[in-house]
């Protein structure tokens, strides 16, 4: 009891604070999302994501080389598909010479040890901008998961280390795992977006890929953000179906979900600090209203404290610089 117990003793100097610090951030924890576009010599800034770019394969080589030198060792690939290649079934997603497949090969050639993760979902390929096949205004579950499994296989064949289904169809992890096993891809992992909420924080990402839903919203497949318990149902099911890593998305507004899961499961948990979160940080920083580096660091530590061991974040390159300072 006070004054025998003075909590400030453990805060008195940086040395004692370092000694008792519970959570740490390292570049080893980070996954870098990358946006790839068709063409050559294009590196265009995404308007709602300052300092973040869509790039063609030639610039992708430079980017991953730079990331590797900085100490960033995993990337998550997304592609922007030209309008005329889009259809209801996402046919282009299965093209062995499609942009995603080429991007995987490009990264692996430029930087063989870079861990390559790929987004598995129909929305960038869908003429409706939905994550599934549309029939009379409905998003079909079972027909979609068959295509997702083929898409995952195609990424594995191109050399992806992990496939990351971000669609929220029921049963898709099992379907993907079974097909990968049947085709001999025992080592290809699955990072499942298992608790992915129907969120308004994805706006800038949909600008980046031109993938906003053409009608309606994604509430019949992505989770309802009023709910907590179903995150556990979704995630435990994905683990049973074969997910190696599970993910909560968006990030900072969903720390309670990360904590719930951390208390219940042993599978590694990833957090996704999404595009809208990045946009907010950048906008406030541009106004001079927040100290960008300090707030980024504080938020990423919050993910670790909540129980995430991995973080997908658009700030990864900034973190390489920030960690040099702290
Ligand atoms: C597509 C997908 C989305 C994101 C990752 N994969 C958008 C969506 O579900 O509409 C969002 C990522 C971000 O906002 O940074 N299935």
């Amino acid at each position: 009891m006070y004054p025998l117990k003075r909590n400030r003793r453990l805060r008195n100097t940086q040395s004692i604070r370092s000694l008792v610090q519970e959570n740490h951030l390292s570049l080893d924890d980070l996954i870098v999302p990358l946006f790839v576009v068709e063409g050559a010599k294009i590196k265009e800034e995404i308007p709602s994501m300052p300092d973040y770019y869509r790039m063609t394969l030639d610039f992708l080589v430079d980017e991953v080389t730079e990331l590797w030198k900085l100490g960033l060792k995993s990337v998550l690939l997304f592609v922007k598909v030209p309008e005329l290649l889009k259809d209801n079934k996402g046919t282009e997603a299965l093209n062995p010479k499609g942009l995603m497949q080429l991007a995987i090969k490009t990264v692996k050639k430029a930087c063989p040890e870079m861990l390559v993760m790929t987004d598995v979902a129909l929305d960038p390929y869908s003429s409706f901008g939905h994550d599934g096949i549309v029939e009379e205004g409905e998003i079909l579950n079972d027909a979609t998961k068959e295509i997702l499994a083929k898409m995952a296989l195609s990424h594995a064949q191109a050399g992806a280390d992990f496939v990351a289904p971000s669609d929220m169809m029921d049963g898709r992890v099992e379907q993907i795992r079974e097909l990968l096993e049947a085709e001999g891809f025992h080592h290809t992992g699955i990072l499942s977006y298992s608790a992915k909420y129907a969120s308004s924080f994805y706006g800038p990402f949909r600008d980046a890929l031109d993938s906003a839903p053409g009608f309606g919203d994604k509430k019949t497949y992505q989770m309802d953000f009023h709910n907590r318990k179903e995150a556990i149902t979704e995630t435990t099911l994905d683990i049973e179906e074969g997910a190696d890593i599970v993910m909560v998305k968006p990030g900072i507004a969903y720390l309670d979900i990360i904590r719930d899961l951390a208390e219940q499961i042993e599978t590694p948990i990833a957090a996704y600090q999404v595009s809208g979160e990045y946009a907010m940080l950048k906008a406030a920083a541009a106004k001079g209203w927040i100290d960008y580096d300090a707030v980024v660091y504080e938020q990423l530590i919050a993910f670790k404290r909540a129980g995430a061991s991995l973080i997908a974040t658009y700030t990864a390159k900034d973190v390489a610089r920030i960690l040099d300072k702290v």
Side-chain angles (χ1 to χ4, degrees):
M1 216 175 309
Y2 180 83
L4 299 180
K5 181 82 189 140
R6 288 180 188 266
N7 293 333
R8 291 181 57 187
R9 280 187 206 116
L10 293 183
R11 298 182 203 132
N12 236 352
T13 63
Q14 184 53 50
S15 303
I16 185 63
R17 287 195 295 273
S18 301
L19 205 58
V20 298
Q21 183 174 319
E22 293 175 36
N23 292 285
H24 296 84
L25 181 67
S26 150
L27 296 183
D28 291 345
D29 306 326
L30 304 183
I31 301 169
V32 188
L34 293 175
F35 298 115
V36 186
V37 278
E38 283 202 347
K41 300 252 170 296
I42 302 169
K43 185 171 174 182
E44 52 192 8
E45 194 176 32
I46 299 153
S48 48
M49 299 179 70
D51 304 321
Y52 224 79
Y53 299 86
R54 286 182 284 246
M55 64 193 85
T56 44
L57 295 172
D58 39 12
F59 279 109
L60 183 63
V61 171
D62 301 343
E63 186 70 21
V64 293
T65 310
E66 185 191 344
L67 293 174
W68 186 261
K69 280 197 192 127
L70 287 170
L72 290 156
K73 297 190 282 288
S74 44
V75 293
L76 176 57
L77 301 178
F78 295 95
V79 291
K80 181 171 188 286
V81 180
E83 210 54 47
L84 76 182
L85 291 179
K86 297 184 184 184
D87 62 22
N88 189 17
K89 289 189 164 173
T91 310
E92 175 62 15
L94 306 183
N95 178 359
K97 295 202 173 100
L99 186 57
M100 177 60 94
Q101 289 77 356
L102 294 180
I104 298 165
K105 289 182 181 160
T106 301
V107 176
K108 278 293 177 189
K109 192 164 167 225
C111 199
E113 287 175 83
M114 182 67 84
L115 190 86
V116 175
M117 302 183 163
T118 57
D119 186 61
V120 173
L122 285 194
D123 52 334
Y125 297 95
S126 156
S127 38
F128 292 102
H130 273 288
D131 293 45
I133 300 170
V134 179
E135 201 176 273
E136 291 172 16
E138 201 191 310
I139 315 302
L140 302 183
N141 192 89
D142 295 9
T144 299
K145 73 186 172 98
E146 273 177 41
I147 296 181
L148 294 172
K150 289 183 188 153
M151 191 173 169
L153 175 63
S154 166
H155 295 179
Q157 286 165 336
D161 299 294
F162 268 76
V163 291
S166 66
D167 55 288
M168 293 299 283
M169 296 302 126
D170 289 327
R172 90 282 205 217
V173 172
E174 181 180 43
Q175 186 114 16
I176 291 171
R177 187 71 266 159
E178 278 175 358
L179 187 59
L180 290 176
E181 291 299 320
E183 296 292 328
F185 288 92
H186 311 299
H187 298 303
T188 309
I190 301 177
L191 182 161
S192 171
Y193 289 64
S194 40
K196 174 168 177 178
Y197 285 86
S199 166
S200 295
F201 282 102
Y202 308 145
F205 174 97
R206 294 175 186 169
D207 291 344
L209 294 190
D210 183 24
S211 62
F215 69 88
D217 52 41
K218 298 192 174 185
K219 288 182 185 166
T220 67
Y221 44 107
Q222 298 179 349
M223 287 170 53
D224 183 342
F225 59 74
H226 300 89
N227 299 342
R228 211 174 131 180
K229 291 180 189 150
E230 65 174 322
I232 296 169
T233 313
E234 283 283 1
T235 305
T236 45
L237 209 55
D238 279 5
I239 294 167
E240 280 166 29
E241 290 181 24
D244 302 284
I245 302 173
V246 293
M247 183 144 82
V248 174
K249 179 180 173 195
I252 212 75
Y254 294 79
L255 294 181
D256 56 328
I257 307 299
I258 296 175
R259 171 60 17 204
D260 281 349
L261 292 176
E263 276 163 13
Q264 306 228 14
I265 65 170
E266 277 120 47
T267 307
I269 300 169
Y272 198 145
Q273 185 189 44
V274 299
S275 58
E277 301 178 63
Y278 175 79
M280 286 161 64
L281 290 165
K282 280 286 174 180
K287 291 258 188 195
W289 291 344
I290 59 165
D291 175 342
Y292 177 81
D293 287 3
V295 174
V296 165
Y297 180 70
E298 189 176 329
Q299 289 204 344
L300 297 181
I301 287 291
F303 289 123
K304 300 288 304 274
R305 198 182 60 233
S309 41
L310 297 67
I311 309 164
T313 174
Y314 302 100
T315 67
K317 269 162 90 173
D318 298 323
V319 176
R321 173 173 49 76
I322 294 168
L323 286 182
D324 269 347
K325 295 193 307 194
V326 290

